[in-house]
Amino acid sequence: MASSDPNKLMAKADKLTKLSLTRWSADWKSATQLYEQAAIGYRVAKNHENAKIAFEKASKGQEMLSSPWDAAKHMESAAALAKEVGNWTEVADFYKRASELYMVCGRPQPASDALAKGARALEDAVPDEAIQLYTDACSILEEDDKEQMAFDLYRAATCVYIKLEKYTDAATFLLRWGLAADKCSATNSQCKAYLSAIIVYLYAHDFKQAEKCYNDCSQIDVFLRNDHGRCASKLLSAYSEGDIEEIKRLGQSSTISNLDHVIIRLARKLPTGEVCALKTEAAEEQEEPLDENDLT
Amino acid sequence: MSVIDILTRVDAICKKYDKYDVEKQKDVNVAGDDAFARLYAAVEADLESALQKAESASKEKNKASAVAMNAEVRRTKARLLEEVPKLQRLAVKKVKGLSGEELAARNDLVLALPDRIQAIPDGSAPAAKQSGGWAASASRTEIKFDSDGRFDDEYFQQTEESSGFRQEFEMRKIKQDQGLDMISEGLDTLKNMASDMNEELDRQVPLMDEIDTKVDKAAADLKNTNVRLKDTVNQLRSSRNFCIDIILLCIILGIAAYLYNVLKK
């Protein structure tokens, strides 16, 4: 049976499921089996389009048979094949559907895994969609108190943001990562996340934000006392003094070299030329209050 | 070996074994009643030994032992200087059997003592002798003059050596600093790796717990199945059933063979 033409199998299965005068209820059991065999046959023959369709139908069959786990598994296979084909919307849809089915099974971990796989597949093609999927995956895990697993997802999402040069979004996501780390008391990851956020802000020339971020994060004892906190404060003071050498030196320091490699790249490029501008800006701000005093 | 060396050695050996020389001891004891003479003799002996030590110190190649010996000499000098006032008091005292001239001579001797003591070279005085020679402190004024000229040389030599020492010290310190820097970098990396490993292990603890329960369940199921299988096989294996099975099998084969034969014909 397995060696027979997948097309024939598909046709047979379709006949079983199509309702007509002679058939009053679809025979999903045998149909699903036939669909699965056809799908495997197509995959071996590298016929991605048909294999995808076969897997889709098989998944629907499993759903009808009330086995959401198998249905989800088939959906994932269908999605992987859709990726081969290059149909990105279908990829996203399939992975989302698979994740929903996993949730129906009551298994959030595979659900978020499915979304993560989808996001990874879409990273290059449709990065916005990928980010959406990553965010959803993170929320699923957080609801289930499994933040530890979400770290990889946060990391990947941050990389995508930085690739897209959406620095404020990246920084916000990093702060969210810090929050998740805080909940599971992963202090090292938390401090790394905060330091990365400050670096991203600095890279985006947003000195005020960086300072605000630093002030916020210093509320947290762990960060204040940590190596990363000290490095951050040194970086900010070097920035406010306009000391390019110091910034370069800090960029080479070991604290920064232990962060994620995307962040390291940003840090190495850090003194992005506007340091002197920052210094004069700060100086001007100090002068203004004096002027007011003079006037009065 | 020259004659002079032999003479020096003989002198030193004699001095060392003087205490075994009975006649000399008798002489010394003659002056036993005289406290001044006793003390003076002791001070003289100490002075001589200090001088010898100073000579050997100045000949010494090893700087550390030279410094140690010079310190010894200085200590001896300080001690001797303390004894001088005592001697002065004793010198004024009248002792029987002593002429007035000798008394005056004693006073002079005592007065000359401090100078002699000070003259002992201890490496810090500018009147240091370069080479251990026979010259006693008797000719010290000449030596003073000489060492004034040599004063600069010797000082210079010391600064050369000490500056070389200082440079080496600085270089070693810099090398140590570099090494410590490298060690600190390595330790930083280690620390970061260790905290990452810590978090990873924390992450895996609940997973392991889950695996634990699942495996326990699977093991229990397996045990159950095994027991049931054992029962079934035992039932099957009971010899009566087995024999019956074999007999029936033979009968069937016999029937089949018979049919085959019949059909073949």
Side-chain angles (χ1 to χ4, degrees):
Chain A
M1 276 271 271
S3 52
S4 52
D5 190 18
N7 286 328
K8 278 211 209 99
L9 290 170
M10 279 291 280
K12 209 156 158 218
D14 280 331
K15 253 197 296 186
L16 282 173
T17 52
K18 222 189 295 270
L19 293 170
S20 60
L21 278 173
T22 47
R23 190 180 292 285
W24 290 55
S25 66
D27 182 10
W28 282 112
K29 202 149 164 285
S30 33
T32 315
Q33 268 182 344
L34 292 169
Y35 277 132
E36 279 170 14
Q37 284 166 3
I40 294 175
Y42 276 131
R43 194 162 54 183
V44 165
K46 304 260 192 250
N47 189 341
H48 299 300
E49 183 63 44
N50 285 336
K52 175 174 65 89
I53 299 176
F55 268 123
E56 237 187 291
K57 297 213 178 124
S59 157
K60 184 134 189 299
Q62 292 286 7
E63 251 189 273
M64 293 296 173
L65 294 174
S66 329
S67 53
W69 180 261
D70 293 314
K73 276 235 143 20
H74 288 318
M75 259 303 164
E76 269 196 63
S77 324
L81 289 160
K83 187 176 100 161
E84 302 277 331
V85 170
N87 192 338
W88 306 119
T89 37
E90 280 205 334
V91 169
D93 286 332
F94 286 165
Y95 272 122
K96 275 195 226 160
R97 182 96 193 98
S99 150
E100 281 166 27
L101 287 164
Y102 279 126
M103 286 301 278
V104 166
C105 290
R107 307 277 291 272
Q109 179 72 41
S112 106
D113 280 343
L115 286 178
K117 268 191 246 174
R120 220 169 297 138
L122 292 173
E123 250 179 24
D124 296 319
V126 191
D128 294 316
E129 190 63 37
I131 288 186
Q132 185 58 40
L133 289 174
Y134 273 130
T135 327
D136 292 335
C138 295
S139 357
I140 290 180
L141 285 175
E142 277 175 5
E143 273 167 19
D144 205 46
D145 286 337
K146 287 210 167 58
E147 294 90 0
Q148 285 270 11
M149 305 294 163
F151 287 177
D152 290 327
L153 298 169
Y154 279 121
R155 207 177 134 258
T158 321
C159 292
V160 174
Y161 267 130
I162 291 185
K163 247 199 301 187
L164 294 175
E165 300 197 0
K166 289 199 181 138
Y167 295 120
T168 26
D169 290 330
T172 324
F173 215 67
L174 281 164
L175 291 172
R176 224 179 115 183
W177 183 359
L179 178 63
D182 187 43
K183 253 198 273 172
C184 47
S185 1
T187 44
N188 200 28
S189 292
Q190 190 186 7
C191 300
K192 283 209 278 207
Y194 289 148
L195 183 58
S196 315
I198 294 180
I199 291 180
V200 164
Y201 273 134
L202 284 175
Y203 188 76
H205 307 318
D206 204 346
F207 186 61
K208 295 258 172 29
Q209 271 293 348
E211 264 193 340
K212 238 196 312 178
C213 182
Y214 177 69
N215 287 334
D216 289 334
C217 300
S218 353
Q219 306 286 339
I220 303 170
D221 273 343
V222 187
F223 182 65
L224 200 56
R225 275 187 278 127
N226 203 339
D227 262 348
H228 303 278
R230 260 179 275 136
C231 183
S233 75
K234 271 194 260 183
L235 205 55
L236 285 171
S237 56
Y239 247 91
S240 57
E241 285 169 21
D243 190 354
I244 297 189
E245 282 308 312
E246 179 70 15
I247 296 174
K248 285 220 175 73
R249 202 176 58 81
L250 282 171
Q252 304 291 331
S253 79
S254 63
T255 323
I256 294 200
S257 309
N258 279 305
L259 299 173
D260 194 30
H261 64 275
V262 183
I263 310 283
I264 297 179
R265 251 184 274 146
L266 291 185
R268 297 276 156 89
K269 288 193 224 153
L270 244 191
T272 38
E274 297 196 4
V275 177
C276 316
L278 285 168
K279 194 161 75 150
T280 47
E281 213 183 278
E284 275 171 26
E285 273 188 31
Q286 284 176 2
E287 282 176 20
E288 280 178 22
L290 285 176
D291 281 340
E292 281 181 37
N293 286 334
D294 282 345
L295 282 173
T296 49
Chain B
M1 202 164 12
S2 62
V3 180
I4 296 182
D5 286 327
I6 298 180
L7 280 173
T8 331
R9 279 183 157 199
V10 169
D11 253 347
I13 295 175
C14 282
K15 251 190 219 140
K16 205 166 136 195
Y17 292 107
D18 257 343
K19 59 182 174 187
Y20 298 118
D21 191 344
V22 185
E23 287 179 3
K24 239 200 181 164
Q25 295 291 22
K26 269 201 266 176
D27 288 335
V28 170
N29 279 333
V30 159
D33 296 336
D34 195 350
F36 173 79
R38 244 185 310 164
L39 203 52
Y40 191 71
V43 170
E44 281 267 308
D46 282 334
L47 208 66
E48 283 297 317
S49 61
L51 268 172
Q52 275 187 342
K53 221 181 258 176
E55 279 175 28
S56 51
S58 57
K59 272 192 246 172
E60 187 67 42
K61 289 264 187 271
N62 189 347
K63 280 255 176 227
S65 38
V67 165
M69 284 202 217
N70 279 332
E72 269 290 318
V73 168
R74 265 177 255 144
R75 226 186 34 210
T76 323
K77 272 166 64 170
R79 198 167 43 85
L80 291 175
L81 279 171
E82 278 173 16
E83 307 262 324
V84 165
K86 250 195 277 178
L87 267 178
Q88 274 186 327
R89 269 178 293 155
L90 284 175
V92 185
K93 266 205 232 149
K94 268 215 179 247
V95 184
K96 59 178 179 204
L98 210 58
S99 60
E101 292 162 351
E102 264 194 60
L103 204 59
R106 280 192 179 181
N107 229 343
D108 285 329
L109 282 170
V110 173
L111 284 172
L113 260 183
D115 287 327
R116 285 174 68 190
I117 295 173
Q118 294 286 16
I120 300 178
D122 62 359
S124 62
K129 284 182 285 195
Q130 274 285 13
S131 54
W134 285 86
S137 47
S139 47
R140 64 178 181 279
T141 36
E142 289 162 19
I143 285 176
K144 248 195 205 154
F145 187 74
D146 279 345
S147 63
D148 270 346
R150 274 190 241 152
F151 174 74
D152 292 325
D153 282 340
E154 202 193 348
Y155 215 63
F156 230 118
Q157 191 189 34
Q158 275 192 358
T159 41
E160 253 177 46
E161 281 180 17
S162 69
S163 67
F165 191 64
R166 176 165 278 269
Q167 232 176 357
E168 205 186 319
F169 162 73
E170 294 286 331
M171 267 174 49
R172 290 235 183 116
K173 200 160 98 156
I174 290 175
K175 269 205 203 109
Q176 265 187 2
D177 280 341
Q178 281 173 350
L180 283 173
D181 277 335
M182 280 175 59
I183 292 179
S184 90
E185 261 179 51
L187 281 176
D188 259 335
T189 320
L190 269 179
K191 174 178 149 212
N192 272 300
M193 283 206 292
S195 39
D196 283 339
M197 276 173 21
N198 185 19
E199 284 186 0
E200 190 60 36
L201 286 172
D202 278 339
R203 210 204 290 199
Q204 299 198 345
V205 162
L207 294 177
M208 294 298 285
D209 288 336
E210 261 184 58
I211 292 181
D212 204 19
T213 33
K214 284 194 183 159
V215 167
D216 280 340
K217 196 159 117 325
D221 280 341
L222 210 60
K223 233 188 200 172
N224 229 351
T225 315
N226 270 345
V227 165
R228 289 218 311 256
L229 198 62
K230 194 167 163 197
D231 282 338
T232 319
V233 169
N234 269 340
Q235 269 187 9
L236 286 175
R237 267 180 73 206
S238 66
S239 22
R240 200 166 44 144
N241 284 349
F242 207 46
C243 292
I244 291 176
D245 283 338
I246 290 181
I247 291 170
L248 284 173
L249 207 65
C250 294
I251 291 174
I252 287 174
L253 279 173
I255 293 176
Y258 178 65
L259 280 173
Y260 178 64
N261 281 338
V262 162
L263 285 173
K264 208 170 132 183
K265 285 203 202 107

